Amino acid sequence: MEISSSQQRRVRVTWRQRLARMQGVPVTFDMGPYEAPLAEVARFGGGIERLSDREIETRARAFREQGTASLESIRAEFFALAREASRRVLGMTPFDEQVLAALALDAGHIVEMQTGEGKTLAAVMPAALRALAGQGAHVLTFNDYLARRDAEWMGPVYTMLGLSVGFVQEGMTPEDRRRAYLANLTYVTAKEAGFDHLRDLLAMDPQGLVHRPLHFALVDEADSLLIDEARVPLVIAGSVGRETSSAPRLAALVASLAPGVHFDADEYGRDVELTEAGFEQVERALGAGSLHDAQNYRLLTEINCALHAHALLRRDVDYIVRNGRIGVVDEFTGRVVADRHWPDGLQAALEAKEGLERQADGRILGSITLQHFLQGYPRLCGMTGTAQTAAPELRDLYGLDVVVIPTHKPMIRIDRPDVVFTHREAKERAAVGEIQRAHASGRPVLVGTLTIEESERVAARLRDTGVACEILNAKNDAMEARIVARAGAPGAVTISTNMAGRGTDIRLGGEHEEEHAQVAALGGLYVIGTNRHESRRVDLQLRGRAGRQGDPGESRFFASLEDELLVRYGIETLIAGRVVTAKRDEPFDHPIVRAEMARAQRIVEGQNLEIRKTLWRYASAIEDQRREVMTIRQAILRGDDVPEIWQREPERRRALVEEAGEDAVQRAERAVMLFAIDRAWRDHLALAADLREGIHLVALGGRDPLRHFTEETTAAFRRMEEAIDNVALDLLKDVRVKDGRIALDEIGIRGPSSTWTYLVNDDPFRNQIGMMLTGPGRTTIATYAAALLGPLLLLWGVVDRVFRKRPGRRGDPFGR
């Protein structure tokens, strides 16, 4: 008896999966609840296929005009309409599995679909349905390349449905961004949308706004954007010129220090600090007395920044130098992020380390976490290829469950076990040999590396053997589309960082569809990883570049005991002592190796989870304050609330009205109030940052740091209203009328000359005193607190050095 497709989808649910669901794991495998809606879509489809193009457009227009009071009642018919539009304009009819994904997305879930199963096309149906409201639907993509590609690729479908589509890219003008957000559907990265939101909150005129009120978002690569990138808060800073810095002199000084003698890094490579010998060496070189003296705390901050830049930040790993400037490499995407800075003290130290001209300093003007920004959407859903391991956190943070969509065709990719070596040289030699063999057969190979540095090293090894290859990393990101398009061609060898790990669709045969069968006969794309990543999901994403839509494929990772993941957590020493006792050129296999590598990944994932939780707790403490302030600010900006602060000085205000008119005075009063709010909020954020730098000092007295932080920021927030009024009244005294208008520029009512984004370190595993001392390079509340607690601080440091376990200098795991 032949089994129907719906029966096949049901029998794929194993008893283990059902048990996991019963135990509360927020992952759904059973497609049963979606079979009836799917059948309804199919019933409508039969009649819609007979309609002309004009009739389809007329039907779609009718849906838009009837309103959105009951979208659920028209969902099946509209999905059928979108399905037919896709067939006609793209030549692609969404499979039943893609419609199932669309139904789950519209129900507000995260769907997991394997690579090549057509997430981009599946997203069209729910996004278009929600766009009928006319309030703007956002598809939040993983990078700019995908935002533009998907908007242009899916655009004809939306056009046939009578919907407009736009996309946002880095470097776009505010006018272009505004037009993109005014479209019915907008493709944009989550970060660009978030930063545009922050810039809107600094606008001095309603015409400066680019966003409409947030309505609906469908998040592509949801686990990466909602989980991984949540570690990096969105921060916008404004230029305030350059402050005097000792960074160049200190960069030369720390470069002369010896690791393991003058400074030590922690076992996770997250923090570095001077040893006693290091303090003595630095104090002797600077001739400034004890660095723990109160007058030297700013100097100590700059030294810590210089040491961090020297010891922990690596060129072509964490950043690149391009056109005389630092380019920060995003650890999750492998791309350089435009205008991203580290906090000023660290940025200046890094520029000094590389001998670059120092850029302008900045003050934080606005900040929001991705979690809080995305929670601003009344309706949220997402899709990815790797959601199951992140399911508990997705539910806890966003209230979203995961629905796993079965593949349209059985996945036949072969995932080979790891090949493990004792040292990096043997690993890379073996990996290059494997690439050579695959290339000789004509099979395309994608090599995933951890860093820019490694990608270039492996490429150089290959070229030395006569194998031509393409490199895809942050240094040549402009050629991404061309390189990806050719990566599946016969004989192609592509060396890439994380840039090819998510969102890239590598087609067998490359740009020549007729060569698909030839490449499939050779075994499909061969994915080789040269390192295990900290996150298992990143490894799965790399594997997922092969085996799309039932195509053959193969994946394998090469690893060594000298890889960063194992070295950072001491796993290499453990394995070296229990499994192998000397370097060897041949690989070795032992169950303990796989177990310890998996354990290292779990350690990192656990730490990153704690980082995200810590970020969430502290950010949540001021999120309600931010919303309250910005609600008031936007009401003033849009004219919904008229400030009357100058009424407290009636004579002065009356004189201005006589010279410039009531309308001009009201506009000036509104501009002054917006400026005063921005300045007060900027100062409040600076206070919050200062508190966080030194907040763990309160733990020495047995108090809860988070509670103390919340109490202090709440008290400061209550004082903000008075501060805002005082600034507005003070500016009233200086306002002058010039040529019949109020000259606000003369009293400094203007925005920053430039803005940028930068990273914020929210890592709770850093040394707590180091967290206090590492800041923006200027006097802070934390500095004053440390000065008052100087003797206690010094004693604590001595005790910490004596009793805390130190990693010391890492030696050879084989004792040589």
Side-chain angles (χ1 to χ4, degrees):
M1 182 179 69
E2 185 177 350
I3 301 177
S4 69
S5 60
S6 64
Q7 288 175 316
Q8 289 176 344
R9 284 191 287 269
R10 285 197 180 98
V11 298
R12 291 176 189 173
V13 183
T14 68
W15 68 268
R16 291 181 184 275
Q17 293 166 347
R18 294 185 186 278
L19 179 61
R21 186 66 180 174
M22 292 173 61
Q23 292 174 336
V25 177
V27 180
T28 296
F29 297 90
D30 187 4
M31 295 293 102
Y34 298 99
E35 294 293 352
L38 174 64
E40 191 177 4
V41 173
R43 283 196 300 272
F44 278 112
I48 290 174
E49 288 177 358
R50 296 188 289 271
L51 298 178
S52 67
D53 288 358
R54 182 176 293 277
E55 288 172 325
I56 286 179
E57 293 170 1
T58 301
R59 186 76 61 88
R61 183 170 61 252
F63 282 136
R64 295 197 312 277
E65 292 174 350
Q66 75 180 53
T68 59
S70 57
L71 286 179
E72 285 70 21
S73 67
I74 65 170
R75 179 174 55 204
E77 185 175 359
F78 187 78
F79 276 17
L81 208 62
R83 198 178 193 182
E84 179 63 16
S86 173
R87 184 186 71 82
R88 296 190 184 189
V89 300
L90 299 180
M92 298 187 298
T93 303
F95 304 132
D96 284 356
E97 288 77 11
Q98 290 170 304
V99 179
L100 288 171
L103 291 166
L105 287 166
D106 190 62
H109 298 305
I110 301 292
V111 301
E112 179 177 286
M113 297 177 71
Q114 295 302 310
T115 300
E117 288 296 302
K119 291 192 292 291
T120 303
L121 186 58
V124 169
M125 289 172 274
L129 179 65
R130 296 297 157 180
L132 292 177
Q135 297 172 287
H138 295 172
V139 180
L140 303 179
T141 65
F142 190 63
N143 57 54
D144 270 2
Y145 163 70
L146 293 175
R148 180 169 191 151
R149 185 202 71 177
D150 293 353
E152 294 177 342
W153 186 14
M154 298 294 115
V157 181
Y158 296 124
T159 299
M160 192 171 206
L161 296 173
L163 299 169
S164 57
V165 61
F167 59 87
V168 175
Q169 304 275 275
E170 283 185 10
M172 270 189 171
T173 65
E175 292 75 17
D176 289 338
R177 291 171 182 267
R178 189 178 303 109
R179 280 193 291 271
Y181 287 121
L182 282 173
N184 297 122
L185 293 112
T186 307
Y187 284 77
V188 56
T189 66
K191 288 181 181 177
E192 282 297 306
F195 284 125
D196 282 334
H197 174 70
L198 288 176
R199 292 185 188 102
D200 276 357
L201 298 179
L202 296 172
M204 298 298 290
D205 187 275
Q207 281 67 45
L209 301 175
V210 299
H211 267 297
R212 290 187 284 173
L214 302 181
H215 170 59
F216 167 83
L218 191 158
V219 184
D220 193 8
E221 303 298 350
D223 60 321
S224 178
L225 292 174
L226 300 181
I227 301 299
D228 295 333
E229 301 216 17
R231 285 176 54 187
V232 182
L234 304 178
V235 176
I236 189 166
S239 175
V240 294
R242 295 177 177 84
E243 291 189 357
T244 303
S245 173
S246 304
R249 179 168 61 117
L250 297 180
L253 175 56
V254 299
S256 68
L257 302 179
V261 177
H262 297 118
F263 64 87
D264 279 329
D266 72 357
E267 56 265 52
Y268 304 127
R270 298 181 186 273
D271 188 37
V272 62
E273 62 179 15
L274 294 171
T275 63
E276 287 86 350
F279 273 106
E280 293 172 2
Q281 176 79 0
V282 171
E283 288 169 353
R284 188 162 49 247
L286 295 176
S290 172
L291 290 174
H292 290 295
D293 289 345
Q295 68 270 18
N296 285 332
Y297 274 110
R298 174 174 174 173
L299 182 59
L300 182 54
T301 298
E302 291 184 317
I303 290 170
N304 282 334
C305 288
L307 192 58
H308 186 108
H310 171 73
L312 301 184
L313 297 180
R314 296 165 294 170
R315 184 168 178 167
D316 291 342
V317 177
D318 303 296
Y319 66 93
I320 64 172
V321 176
R322 185 163 57 185
N323 300 323
R325 302 190 69 171
I326 298 291
V328 179
V329 177
D330 189 303
E331 63 178 304
F332 302 111
T333 67
R335 291 173 168 80
V336 171
V337 185
D339 293 328
R340 174 174 281 182
H341 288 214
W342 274 284
D344 291 327
L346 190 54
Q347 182 78 15
L350 194 58
E351 289 163 351
K353 169 187 173 181
E354 295 294 343
L356 304 176
E357 180 182 354
R358 188 179 176 198
Q359 303 301 313
D361 292 331
R363 291 288 302 274
I364 296 176
L365 304 178
S367 176
I368 191 172
T369 64
L370 268 177
Q371 293 108 313
H372 286 126
F373 170 66
L374 292 170
Q375 286 177 341
Y377 286 93
R379 195 171 188 91
L380 187 68
C381 61
M383 54 189 186
T384 180
T386 48
Q388 293 186 54
T389 58
E393 196 170 351
L394 287 168
R395 171 182 274 184
D396 290 345
L397 285 180
Y398 302 96
L400 300 173
D401 284 357
V402 171
V403 177
V404 179
I405 306 298
T407 57
H408 179 62
K409 296 179 180 178
M411 204 273 287
I412 59 174
R413 184 185 70 235
I414 302 172
D415 294 329
R416 303 289 185 188
D418 293 359
V419 184
V420 184
F421 296 83
T422 56
H423 55 294
R424 190 187 74 184
E425 175 65 24
K427 175 192 75 171
E428 291 191 357
R429 193 162 51 241
V432 168
E434 184 75 358
I435 296 166
Q436 284 181 279
R437 284 189 289 275
H439 175 69
S441 71
R443 190 178 186 184
V445 181
L446 172 67
V447 184
T449 63
L450 201 62
T451 66
I452 298 169
E453 179 183 60
E454 185 182 31
S455 68
E456 295 179 341
R457 187 173 64 245
V458 172
R461 281 179 173 273
L462 274 174
R463 288 165 180 161
D464 287 344
T465 67
V467 175
C469 62
E470 295 268 20
I471 302 178
L472 177 58
N473 61 35
K475 289 185 175 180
N476 65 344
D477 48 7
M479 296 186 289
E480 177 177 5
R482 180 182 64 80
I483 293 173
V484 169
R486 298 179 180 178
V493 177
T494 307
I495 316 293
S496 178
T497 57
N498 287 355
M499 289 179 66
R502 277 189 186 268
T504 51
D505 190 9
I506 298 176
R507 298 174 180 271
L508 298 191
E511 298 171 295
H512 305 289
E513 187 65 30
E514 65 274 11
E515 294 180 333
H516 178 280
Q518 175 190 344
V519 175
L522 294 170
L525 181 68
Y526 189 7
V527 173
I528 294 176
T530 61
N531 276 279
R532 281 290 190 172
H533 196 273
E534 288 186 352
S535 170
R536 289 171 292 171
R537 287 181 284 109
V538 175
D539 291 341
L540 291 173
Q541 286 287 346
L542 179 60
R543 287 192 192 275
R545 297 315 98 192
R548 58 183 296 277
Q549 293 186 1
D551 284 339
E554 188 175 352
S555 72
R556 166 163 271 164
F557 282 86
F558 286 72
S560 84
L561 299 187
E562 293 180 348
D563 289 350
E564 183 175 348
L565 177 66
L566 301 186
V567 172
R568 176 176 289 185
Y569 297 95
I571 305 297
E572 94 291 1
T573 304
L574 178 65
I575 295 175
R578 296 167 63 185
V579 179
V580 291
T581 58
K583 279 188 176 182
R584 49 191 285 185
D585 291 335
E586 301 78 22
F588 67 95
D589 185 28
H590 196 284
I592 195 175
V593 177
R594 292 187 291 273
E596 291 300 335
M597 289 178 66
R599 185 166 74 91
Q601 288 182 316
R602 288 195 299 272
I603 290 172
V604 182
E605 289 173 350
Q607 288 189 354
N608 289 341
L609 173 60
E610 190 58 35
I611 291 171
R612 290 190 293 270
K613 286 181 177 179
T614 299
L615 167 62
W616 175 260
R617 294 184 190 111
Y618 281 92
S620 295
I622 61 171
E623 176 61 15
D624 288 343
Q625 300 170 6
R626 186 192 68 81
R627 291 180 179 177
E628 183 176 340
V629 168
M630 295 313 160
T631 298
I632 295 171
R633 189 191 192 282
Q634 293 303 88
I636 294 173
L637 177 69
R638 297 178 185 275
D640 300 330
D641 184 17
V642 179
E644 297 180 346
I645 183 66
W646 284 359
Q647 300 285 1
R648 299 183 190 178
E649 300 285 345
E651 294 184 6
R652 175 61 180 145
R653 190 181 189 281
R654 191 180 306 114
L656 288 176
V657 171
E658 291 175 356
E659 290 186 80
E662 179 66 31
D663 288 345
V665 171
Q666 288 186 5
R667 288 194 300 272
E669 189 173 16
R670 184 167 60 246
V672 165
M673 282 300 294
L674 292 175
F675 173 81
I677 290 172
D678 291 345
R679 194 163 89 172
W681 183 245
R682 179 193 69 193
D683 293 343
H684 187 68
L685 290 177
L687 170 67
D690 290 341
L691 281 171
R692 287 194 59 184
E693 288 172 18
I695 197 64
H696 295 279
L697 280 174
V698 305
L700 297 176
R703 296 192 62 192
D704 175 30
L706 178 59
R707 181 175 180 178
H708 177 77
F709 176 83
T710 303
E711 291 173 351
E712 291 296 317
T713 53
T714 300
F717 184 72
R718 284 196 294 265
R719 296 191 295 268
M720 268 187 60
E721 183 177 357
E722 182 180 354
I724 291 170
D725 289 350
N726 289 339
V727 169
L729 289 171
D730 286 344
L731 290 172
L732 174 61
K733 301 173 185 176
D734 299 327
V735 169
R736 296 290 180 270
V737 176
K738 186 176 181 180
D739 298 328
R741 65 177 186 85
I742 297 179
L744 294 179
D745 288 350
E746 294 186 0
I747 59 172
I749 306 298
R750 61 173 69 91
S753 58
S754 61
T755 61
W756 59 74
T757 65
Y758 65 80
L759 293 168
V760 174
N761 192 326
D762 283 282
D763 185 346
F765 294 93
R766 290 187 64 193
N767 173 272
Q768 307 299 354
I769 300 300
M771 286 181 67
M772 177 198 72
L773 295 174
T774 303
R778 52 180 67 90
T779 303
T780 65
I781 289 177
T783 300
Y784 289 128
L788 293 172
L789 293 173
L792 180 59
L793 175 62
L794 184 58
L795 175 62
W796 188 93
V798 172
V799 172
D800 178 58
R801 285 188 170 84
V802 171
F803 291 102
R804 192 180 63 181
K805 179 182 177 181
R806 288 189 174 280
R809 183 187 295 182
R810 285 235 181 256
D812 191 311
F814 302 102
R816 290 180 300 280

